C-alpha cells in the first residue's frame, strides 16, 4: 500500500439527484487499483429502478466486480477488504434497513466504527435529501432525518468528503486542502 | 471585547436537515464566551417537535441560558445584547411570523438592520429548503420563497456565512478566507 | 474582445429557490458590456408566474434588451451572438421542452455543443431541484433527473460554474481558483 492510497482509505461523496456523484466515485475508485469492486445496495423493486441500475452497470467496464449488498454492508466490506470498493449508495442501504425494520442507527454506528480499521479503500456515494421543503408525510420526515444523521456520522468517520453540484466536485473535508 | 470577537459579531449557518448546523452553532457560540444564551424560536405544537427540542436541550450544558422567542426576535436580541446568543432557528421564526400573519418582510428587514449595532455576538441557524422539486402546494412555495429571501437578507447582513454538508462546515462568506 | 472577456464566455449559475442566482447573473452580465440581452425562458401561465416575471423585470434597467425564448434557445443564442446574454433560466426552458414533448436531451446536447463556438458571452441561470426527498410523483422524479442531467451537461460545457447559497456566490469551477 503506497502512501497516497493510505491517505485515501475512506471517501464520502454526496450531492443531489443526478449531480455526478456516481461518475466521480467510479473515477476515484479506478484511480486506486486496476481491479475494483462495485457494492450495489439497490434492490430492483420496479422497472424504473431496474432501468437506473442497468444504466449504471452499462457505464462500468470489465475491471469491476459487482457484489449485491442491500443490507449487510459491514459484512460485505469485511469480506472484500482486499481491493477498493465503491458503495452505491448509502441512502438506498439506509432505506433497505428501515424497510426491514432493522436498527439502522446501530448499523450506521458499526459501519462508521469499522472505517479506521480498513485494509483497502472504500468510496461511499450518498444523497442530499434534506434541502427541500419539510415533507408533509411523517415517514418521509423520519427518513430525511435518518439520511442526514447517517451522512453526518459517515462524514465524521471518512477522511474525505466531497459535494457534487452540476457535475462538479467540491472538496469539503479536509477543507482548504 | 477582543479583536477576534469583534470580527465575528454576526454569523449565519445554513444547511439541509440534520446536516450538523446546530452542533456547529453551539461550538462557535461557546468559543466566544463562558456563559451564552440559547434563543429558541421553536414552539412545541406536537410530540415530534417536543422530542426534537428535548434532544437539542440534552446536548447543551449548564453554560447555556435558554430564552424562548417564537416571534419577537429583534426585541429578544436587544434585551440580551450583553452575551453571545445562538438563535435556533430563523426558519421556525419565519414560520411563526407567517402563521401569526405578521409582516415577515418588515421583521426580517428590522432584524438585518439591527446587526451592525450589535454589542454582543449572535449566531443564527437557518435551513436550506429551496433545493428540492417545486412544491405543488402554493403555501409551501410561498414559504420556500420567503425562507430563501430571509436567508439572502441575513446572508448579506452577517459577517460570516457557513454551509453545513454531511456535518462538515464550509465557509462561504467571506470566501477564499 | 479583450482577454478577460474571452476567458468568461460561458458561465453557469445554480442554487436553490431565492438563493440570489438571478441578481448574481445580472451583475456578471453587466460587467461584460454596456448593452446586454436578457433571454427569458419563462412563460406566464398564471398570476404567480406573472408576478415573479414582473419582479425580475423591475430590477433590470434600460441597458437590458429582453428576448422571449421559451424553447428555441439555441436558435436565440445563435441570433444574438453579438452581445452578452443572460439566460434565465435553464430549468424553465427544460420544463417547456418536456411539456411540448420535444427531445430535451438532444436540445441540451446541441446547446452544450454550441458553447465552444460562442462569439459573445452567455450566463445561464439554473436551479438545484434534486436535494429534497425523492418525490412520490413519477413525473416529478423524471423532471428532477432531467434537470440534474441538464445541469451536469452544461456544467461540463461551461467555463465557470457558481453555486449560490443564502445570496453568497461560491465558485465551484474552476475550483481552487
Amino acid at each position: 500500500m503506497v502512501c497516497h492510497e493510505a491517505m485515501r482509505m475512506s471517501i464520502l461523496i454526496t450531492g443531489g439527484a443526478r449531480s455526478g456523484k456516481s461518475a466521480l466515485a467510479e473515477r476515484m475508485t479506478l484511480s486506486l487499483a486496476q481491479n475494483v469492486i462495485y457494492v450495489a445496495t439497490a434492490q430492483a423493486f420496479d422497472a424504473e429502478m431496474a432501468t437506473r441500475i442497468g444504466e449504471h452497470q452499462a457505464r462500468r467496464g470489465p475491471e469491476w466486480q459487482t457484489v449485491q449488498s442491500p443490507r449487510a454492508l459491514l459484512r460485505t466490506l469485511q469480506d472484500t477488504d482486499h481491493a477498493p470498493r465503491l458503495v452505491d449508495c448509502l441512502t438506498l442501504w439506509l432505506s433497505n434497513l428501515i424497510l426491514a425494520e432493522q436498527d439502522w442507527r446501530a448499523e450506521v454506528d458499526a459501519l462508521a466504527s469499522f472505517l479506521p480499521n480498513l485494509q483497502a479503500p472504500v468510496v461511499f456515494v450518498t444523497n442530499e435529501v434534506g434541502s427541500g421543503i419539510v415533507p408533509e408525510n411523517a415517514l418521509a420526515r423520519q427518513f430525511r432525518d435518518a439520511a442526514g444523521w447517517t451522512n453526518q456520522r459517515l462524514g465524521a468517520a471518512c477522511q474525505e468528503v466531497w459535494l457534487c453540484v452540476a457535475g462538479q466536485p467540491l472538496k469539503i473535508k479536509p477543507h482548504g486542502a
Side-chain angles (χ1 to χ4, degrees), chain A:
Chain A
M1 189 67 66
V2 301
C3 178
H4 174 69
E5 286 175 7
M7 291 173 65
R8 304 193 71 183
M9 286 300 252
S10 52
I11 300 173
L12 179 70
I13 299 176
T14 191
R18 297 283 180 173
S19 61
K21 306 178 299 292
S22 293
L24 174 66
E26 289 167 21
R27 290 198 304 273
M28 282 188 174
T29 309
L30 284 173
S31 77
L32 297 170
Q34 283 189 313
N35 289 287
V36 293
I37 299 169
Y38 183 87
V39 180
T41 62
Q43 292 176 296
F45 289 120
D46 57 26
E48 183 180 342
M49 187 61 83
T51 300
R52 177 162 295 202
I53 292 174
E55 286 176 10
H56 279 206
Q57 286 181 333
R59 193 172 51 206
R60 296 190 299 271
E63 59 272 51
W64 291 90
Q65 177 195 346
T66 297
V67 176
Q68 305 280 344
S69 185
R71 292 195 303 275
L73 184 54
L74 175 56
R75 171 83 62 88
T76 299
L77 293 186
Q78 289 168 331
D79 290 348
T80 59
D81 205 10
H82 53 83
R85 276 88 27 110
L86 190 175
V87 177
D88 196 351
C89 68
L90 288 177
T91 320
L92 283 171
W93 171 66
L94 178 67
S95 175
N96 294 337
L97 292 176
I98 291 173
L99 286 174
E101 299 188 350
Q102 285 185 248
D103 183 349
W104 61 268
R105 281 180 183 266
E107 295 287 332
V108 171
D109 265 331
L111 182 66
S113 300
F114 176 64
L115 298 188
N117 305 318
L118 283 171
Q119 299 298 309
V122 61
V123 178
F124 296 102
V125 171
T126 190
N127 287 266
E128 290 300 302
V129 299
S131 294
I133 209 82
V134 180
E136 290 178 42
N137 182 305
L139 284 174
R141 282 199 302 278
Q142 287 169 20
F143 178 72
R144 182 178 182 255
D145 281 352
W149 192 88
T150 299
N151 288 353
Q152 267 197 61
R153 189 77 180 82
L154 271 293
C158 284
Q159 291 164 315
E160 291 185 12
V161 180
W162 294 76
L163 173 67
C164 283
V165 179
Q168 303 300 311
L170 184 69
K171 192 190 252 185
I172 55 177
K173 178 184 178 182
H175 40 216

PDB file of all heavy atoms in Angstrom, chain A residues 132-152:
ATOM      1  N   GLY A 132     -34.902  20.340   0.723  1.00  0.00           N
ATOM      2  CA  GLY A 132     -36.184  20.770   0.168  1.00  0.00           C
ATOM      3  C   GLY A 132     -37.101  21.200   1.286  1.00  0.00           C
ATOM      4  O   GLY A 132     -36.704  21.290   2.451  1.00  0.00           O
ATOM      5  N   ILE A 133     -38.342  21.482   0.923  1.00  0.00           N
ATOM      6  CA  ILE A 133     -39.341  21.865   1.915  1.00  0.00           C
ATOM      7  C   ILE A 133     -39.607  20.657   2.826  1.00  0.00           C
ATOM      8  O   ILE A 133     -39.477  19.513   2.397  1.00  0.00           O
ATOM      9  CB  ILE A 133     -40.626  22.344   1.178  1.00  0.00           C
ATOM     10  CG1 ILE A 133     -41.383  23.360   2.002  1.00  0.00           C
ATOM     11  CG2 ILE A 133     -41.517  21.189   0.751  1.00  0.00           C
ATOM     12  CD1 ILE A 133     -40.858  24.762   1.894  1.00  0.00           C
ATOM     13  N   VAL A 134     -39.939  20.898   4.092  1.00  0.00           N
ATOM     14  CA  VAL A 134     -40.222  19.801   5.019  1.00  0.00           C
ATOM     15  C   VAL A 134     -41.389  18.969   4.481  1.00  0.00           C
ATOM     16  O   VAL A 134     -42.445  19.513   4.173  1.00  0.00           O
ATOM     17  CB  VAL A 134     -40.571  20.343   6.422  1.00  0.00           C
ATOM     18  CG1 VAL A 134     -40.871  19.200   7.378  1.00  0.00           C
ATOM     19  CG2 VAL A 134     -39.437  21.197   6.961  1.00  0.00           C
ATOM     20  N   PRO A 135     -41.202  17.638   4.337  1.00  0.00           N
ATOM     21  CA  PRO A 135     -42.286  16.819   3.770  1.00  0.00           C
ATOM     22  C   PRO A 135     -43.486  16.752   4.713  1.00  0.00           C
ATOM     23  O   PRO A 135     -43.324  16.746   5.932  1.00  0.00           O
ATOM     24  CB  PRO A 135     -41.652  15.415   3.628  1.00  0.00           C
ATOM     25  CG  PRO A 135     -40.183  15.602   3.815  1.00  0.00           C
ATOM     26  CD  PRO A 135     -40.002  16.830   4.638  1.00  0.00           C
ATOM     27  N   GLU A 136     -44.673  16.689   4.124  1.00  0.00           N
ATOM     28  CA  GLU A 136     -45.890  16.561   4.938  1.00  0.00           C
ATOM     29  C   GLU A 136     -45.998  15.161   5.540  1.00  0.00           C
ATOM     30  O   GLU A 136     -46.570  14.971   6.610  1.00  0.00           O
ATOM     31  CB  GLU A 136     -47.133  16.832   4.075  1.00  0.00           C
ATOM     32  CG  GLU A 136     -47.264  18.291   3.664  1.00  0.00           C
ATOM     33  CD  GLU A 136     -48.475  18.520   2.772  1.00  0.00           C
ATOM     34  OE1 GLU A 136     -49.539  17.955   3.066  1.00  0.00           O
ATOM     35  OE2 GLU A 136     -48.333  19.246   1.764  1.00  0.00           O
ATOM     36  N   ASN A 137     -45.455  14.177   4.818  1.00  0.00           N
ATOM     37  CA  ASN A 137     -45.517  12.781   5.227  1.00  0.00           C
ATOM     38  C   ASN A 137     -44.529  12.512   6.374  1.00  0.00           C
ATOM     39  O   ASN A 137     -43.334  12.773   6.250  1.00  0.00           O
ATOM     40  CB  ASN A 137     -45.164  11.939   3.981  1.00  0.00           C
ATOM     41  CG  ASN A 137     -45.218  10.462   4.232  1.00  0.00           C
ATOM     42  OD1 ASN A 137     -44.572   9.960   5.136  1.00  0.00           O
ATOM     43  ND2 ASN A 137     -45.998   9.768   3.425  1.00  0.00           N
ATOM     44  N   ALA A 138     -45.052  11.954   7.499  1.00  0.00           N
ATOM     45  CA  ALA A 138     -44.209  11.733   8.685  1.00  0.00           C
ATOM     46  C   ALA A 138     -43.078  10.746   8.407  1.00  0.00           C
ATOM     47  O   ALA A 138     -41.951  10.931   8.880  1.00  0.00           O
ATOM     48  CB  ALA A 138     -45.066  11.239   9.852  1.00  0.00           C
ATOM     49  N   LEU A 139     -43.365   9.699   7.636  1.00  0.00           N
ATOM     50  CA  LEU A 139     -42.318   8.731   7.313  1.00  0.00           C
ATOM     51  C   LEU A 139     -41.224   9.375   6.473  1.00  0.00           C
ATOM     52  O   LEU A 139     -40.037   9.092   6.658  1.00  0.00           O
ATOM     53  CB  LEU A 139     -42.904   7.535   6.569  1.00  0.00           C
ATOM     54  CG  LEU A 139     -43.665   6.534   7.445  1.00  0.00           C
ATOM     55  CD1 LEU A 139     -44.318   5.463   6.589  1.00  0.00           C
ATOM     56  CD2 LEU A 139     -42.725   5.910   8.477  1.00  0.00           C
ATOM     57  N   ALA A 140     -41.612  10.242   5.560  1.00  0.00           N
ATOM     58  CA  ALA A 140     -40.622  10.953   4.743  1.00  0.00           C
ATOM     59  C   ALA A 140     -39.748  11.844   5.623  1.00  0.00           C
ATOM     60  O   ALA A 140     -38.531  11.925   5.422  1.00  0.00           O
ATOM     61  CB  ALA A 140     -41.311  11.772   3.655  1.00  0.00           C
ATOM     62  N   ARG A 141     -40.361  12.489   6.615  1.00  0.00           N
ATOM     63  CA  ARG A 141     -39.576  13.327   7.532  1.00  0.00           C
ATOM     64  C   ARG A 141     -38.586  12.485   8.335  1.00  0.00           C
ATOM     65  O   ARG A 141     -37.447  12.871   8.542  1.00  0.00           O
ATOM     66  CB  ARG A 141     -40.502  14.076   8.506  1.00  0.00           C
ATOM     67  CG  ARG A 141     -41.189  15.279   7.902  1.00  0.00           C
ATOM     68  CD  ARG A 141     -41.695  16.244   8.965  1.00  0.00           C
ATOM     69  NE  ARG A 141     -42.619  15.649   9.905  1.00  0.00           N
ATOM     70  CZ  ARG A 141     -43.913  15.464   9.692  1.00  0.00           C
ATOM     71  NH1 ARG A 141     -44.456  15.838   8.546  1.00  0.00           N
ATOM     72  NH2 ARG A 141     -44.678  14.920  10.601  1.00  0.00           N
ATOM     73  N   GLN A 142     -39.045  11.304   8.764  1.00  0.00           N
ATOM     74  CA  GLN A 142     -38.158  10.425   9.533  1.00  0.00           C
ATOM     75  C   GLN A 142     -36.992   9.939   8.660  1.00  0.00           C
ATOM     76  O   GLN A 142     -35.845   9.881   9.108  1.00  0.00           O
ATOM     77  CB  GLN A 142     -38.942   9.232  10.092  1.00  0.00           C
ATOM     78  CG  GLN A 142     -39.859   9.630  11.245  1.00  0.00           C
ATOM     79  CD  GLN A 142     -40.842   8.519  11.625  1.00  0.00           C
ATOM     80  OE1 GLN A 142     -40.621   7.352  11.308  1.00  0.00           O
ATOM     81  NE2 GLN A 142     -41.922   8.892  12.286  1.00  0.00           N
ATOM     82  N   PHE A 143     -37.295   9.595   7.420  1.00  0.00           N
ATOM     83  CA  PHE A 143     -36.231   9.132   6.532  1.00  0.00           C
ATOM     84  C   PHE A 143     -35.231  10.252   6.257  1.00  0.00           C
ATOM     85  O   PHE A 143     -34.002  10.032   6.243  1.00  0.00           O
ATOM     86  CB  PHE A 143     -36.814   8.615   5.212  1.00  0.00           C
ATOM     87  CG  PHE A 143     -35.733   8.178   4.264  1.00  0.00           C
ATOM     88  CD1 PHE A 143     -35.025   7.015   4.498  1.00  0.00           C
ATOM     89  CD2 PHE A 143     -35.396   8.955   3.169  1.00  0.00           C
ATOM     90  CE1 PHE A 143     -33.999   6.627   3.660  1.00  0.00           C
ATOM     91  CE2 PHE A 143     -34.378   8.579   2.319  1.00  0.00           C
ATOM     92  CZ  PHE A 143     -33.676   7.408   2.560  1.00  0.00           C
ATOM     93  N   ARG A 144     -35.767  11.458   6.048  1.00  0.00           N
ATOM     94  CA  ARG A 144     -34.933  12.638   5.805  1.00  0.00           C
ATOM     95  C   ARG A 144     -33.989  12.887   6.982  1.00  0.00           C
ATOM     96  O   ARG A 144     -32.797  13.157   6.794  1.00  0.00           O
ATOM     97  CB  ARG A 144     -35.908  13.798   5.625  1.00  0.00           C
ATOM     98  CG  ARG A 144     -35.394  15.153   5.317  1.00  0.00           C
ATOM     99  CD  ARG A 144     -36.629  16.031   5.171  1.00  0.00           C
ATOM    100  NE  ARG A 144     -36.347  17.396   4.811  1.00  0.00           N
ATOM    101  CZ  ARG A 144     -36.432  18.412   5.670  1.00  0.00           C
ATOM    102  NH1 ARG A 144     -36.786  18.205   6.906  1.00  0.00           N
ATOM    103  NH2 ARG A 144     -36.182  19.643   5.247  1.00  0.00           N
ATOM    104  N   ASP A 145     -34.512  12.751   8.191  1.00  0.00           N
ATOM    105  CA  ASP A 145     -33.658  12.915   9.368  1.00  0.00           C
ATOM    106  C   ASP A 145     -32.623  11.792   9.461  1.00  0.00           C
ATOM    107  O   ASP A 145     -31.451  12.033   9.761  1.00  0.00           O
ATOM    108  CB  ASP A 145     -34.508  12.931  10.649  1.00  0.00           C
ATOM    109  CG  ASP A 145     -35.172  14.282  10.890  1.00  0.00           C
ATOM    110  OD1 ASP A 145     -34.866  15.237  10.158  1.00  0.00           O
ATOM    111  OD2 ASP A 145     -36.000  14.365  11.811  1.00  0.00           O
ATOM    112  N   ALA A 146     -33.074  10.562   9.198  1.00  0.00           N
ATOM    113  CA  ALA A 146     -32.157   9.417   9.268  1.00  0.00           C
ATOM    114  C   ALA A 146     -31.038   9.556   8.247  1.00  0.00           C
ATOM    115  O   ALA A 146     -29.864   9.259   8.530  1.00  0.00           O
ATOM    116  CB  ALA A 146     -32.925   8.110   9.045  1.00  0.00           C
ATOM    117  N   ALA A 147     -31.379  10.003   7.050  1.00  0.00           N
ATOM    118  CA  ALA A 147     -30.369  10.166   5.998  1.00  0.00           C
ATOM    119  C   ALA A 147     -29.369  11.259   6.375  1.00  0.00           C
ATOM    120  O   ALA A 147     -28.157  11.105   6.183  1.00  0.00           O
ATOM    121  CB  ALA A 147     -31.039  10.482   4.659  1.00  0.00           C
ATOM    122  N   GLY A 148     -29.878  12.355   6.931  1.00  0.00           N
ATOM    123  CA  GLY A 148     -28.974  13.425   7.364  1.00  0.00           C
ATOM    124  C   GLY A 148     -28.052  12.953   8.479  1.00  0.00           C
ATOM    125  O   GLY A 148     -26.846  13.236   8.480  1.00  0.00           O
ATOM    126  N   TRP A 149     -28.626  12.198   9.422  1.00  0.00           N
ATOM    127  CA  TRP A 149     -27.832  11.680  10.550  1.00  0.00           C
ATOM    128  C   TRP A 149     -26.761  10.717  10.033  1.00  0.00           C
ATOM    129  O   TRP A 149     -25.602  10.756  10.471  1.00  0.00           O
ATOM    130  CB  TRP A 149     -28.790  10.987  11.523  1.00  0.00           C
ATOM    131  CG  TRP A 149     -28.190  10.648  12.844  1.00  0.00           C
ATOM    132  CD1 TRP A 149     -28.140  11.449  13.954  1.00  0.00           C
ATOM    133  CD2 TRP A 149     -27.562   9.412  13.206  1.00  0.00           C
ATOM    134  NE1 TRP A 149     -27.521  10.781  14.971  1.00  0.00           N
ATOM    135  CE2 TRP A 149     -27.153   9.536  14.558  1.00  0.00           C
ATOM    136  CE3 TRP A 149     -27.311   8.222  12.531  1.00  0.00           C
ATOM    137  CZ2 TRP A 149     -26.500   8.503  15.228  1.00  0.00           C
ATOM    138  CZ3 TRP A 149     -26.658   7.199  13.203  1.00  0.00           C
ATOM    139  CH2 TRP A 149     -26.256   7.343  14.533  1.00  0.00           C
ATOM    140  N   THR A 150     -27.131   9.866   9.099  1.00  0.00           N
ATOM    141  CA  THR A 150     -26.180   8.921   8.502  1.00  0.00           C
ATOM    142  C   THR A 150     -25.048   9.656   7.789  1.00  0.00           C
ATOM    143  O   THR A 150     -23.866   9.309   7.940  1.00  0.00           O
ATOM    144  CB  THR A 150     -26.922   7.992   7.518  1.00  0.00           C
ATOM    145  OG1 THR A 150     -27.918   7.261   8.242  1.00  0.00           O
ATOM    146  CG2 THR A 150     -25.968   7.018   6.841  1.00  0.00           C
ATOM    147  N   ASN A 151     -25.398  10.671   7.020  1.00  0.00           N
ATOM    148  CA  ASN A 151     -24.370  11.441   6.311  1.00  0.00           C
ATOM    149  C   ASN A 151     -23.415  12.123   7.289  1.00  0.00           C
ATOM    150  O   ASN A 151     -22.200  12.172   7.053  1.00  0.00           O
ATOM    151  CB  ASN A 151     -25.012  12.476   5.384  1.00  0.00           C
ATOM    152  CG  ASN A 151     -25.651  11.843   4.166  1.00  0.00           C
ATOM    153  OD1 ASN A 151     -25.505  10.642   3.932  1.00  0.00           O
ATOM    154  ND2 ASN A 151     -26.373  12.640   3.390  1.00  0.00           N
ATOM    155  N   GLN A 152     -23.969  12.667   8.380  1.00  0.00           N
ATOM    156  CA  GLN A 152     -23.127  13.297   9.405  1.00  0.00           C
ATOM    157  C   GLN A 152     -22.158  12.290  10.011  1.00  0.00           C
ATOM    158  O   GLN A 152     -20.969  12.572  10.176  1.00  0.00           O
ATOM    159  CB  GLN A 152     -23.991  13.818  10.548  1.00  0.00           C
ATOM    160  CG  GLN A 152     -24.408  15.249  10.430  1.00  0.00           C
ATOM    161  CD  GLN A 152     -24.884  15.779  11.781  1.00  0.00           C
ATOM    162  OE1 GLN A 152     -24.145  15.811  12.752  1.00  0.00           O
ATOM    163  NE2 GLN A 152     -26.137  16.172  11.828  1.00  0.00           N
TER     164      GLN A 152
END
